[in-house]
Amino acid sequence: MRASVRVLLLLAATLCVSNAQNNNSSNDNKQQQQQQQQQQRSIWDEPIRFSTKTKDSCTMVVSGAGDYTRLRVSCKGPSQGQNPGRSYYCDFQGKPNLCRAYNLNPRHFFTQMMWDMRKLSHACQGPKIYRPQMCKKYPDEAQMTFLASWPKTTTPKPSKPVQEPRKPSVPSQSKPVTSPKPVKPQPQPVKPQQPNKGTQNKKTTPKPVKTTTRPTEQPDKASRMASEYCWKSFHGVCSYFISWFQN
């Protein structure tokens, strides 16, 4: 009788211990589920707030879209006097749940994205794909990819008309350079006075020769030679010297 009683007591004790362990394990599972639910609620219900380099106040809101996770970043800039500040937003989409670290702490995933965005002057003009450090090794499918933004940014277009007005300015500079060139042919009036040199030398010689008067036939020859070899304006002088040399 005593042995049977001891066996019954041992069985009862083991049953109590197993029930206690099952209860503890179930409680641990419930706590883990509650923690995961709280983490998910903190992402879906509590937006992440930050400020950009230009002091734009922004919020990050996470939502689900089927198998994808959506992220919207909404920002509003500070007001400048009477003018209200600028406002803009952009959307991202991806499957970060493929990353194991994201499932353990999803809020930290978007917090790492926020650290990169707050370094920008415009939160929606960053990289097209964000790779947080905790899931950097995973493929693009597990990352948050840029979808769309408002208002759309068109920064490269104004650069084209800036280059166009510069082109006509080049010929305008060449015009003043070509204008002074026709002034160079002015040194042309050099008057070919080479024959005058001979006449100048001849003019200097007649001073000692004024007393020579010789026959009448020589002046006719001298005038003929002067008309053939001298200019009309110097015929008289040439004929005089020719007749002098002949005499």
Side-chain angles (χ1 to χ4, degrees), residues 197-207 230 237-238 241 245:
K197 293 182 181 179
T199 57
Q200 289 177 359
N201 293 328
K202 293 177 181 180
K203 288 180 181 179
T204 55
T205 55
K207 289 182 180 179
C230 297
V237 178
C238 290
F241 284 106
F245 281 114

Side-chain angles (χ1 to χ4, degrees), residues 33-46:
Q33 291 177 358
Q34 288 177 358
Q35 289 177 358
Q36 290 178 358
Q37 289 177 358
Q38 287 178 358
Q39 289 177 354
Q40 290 178 354
R41 287 177 184 176
S42 64
I43 297 174
W44 264 258
D45 299 336
E46 296 179 8

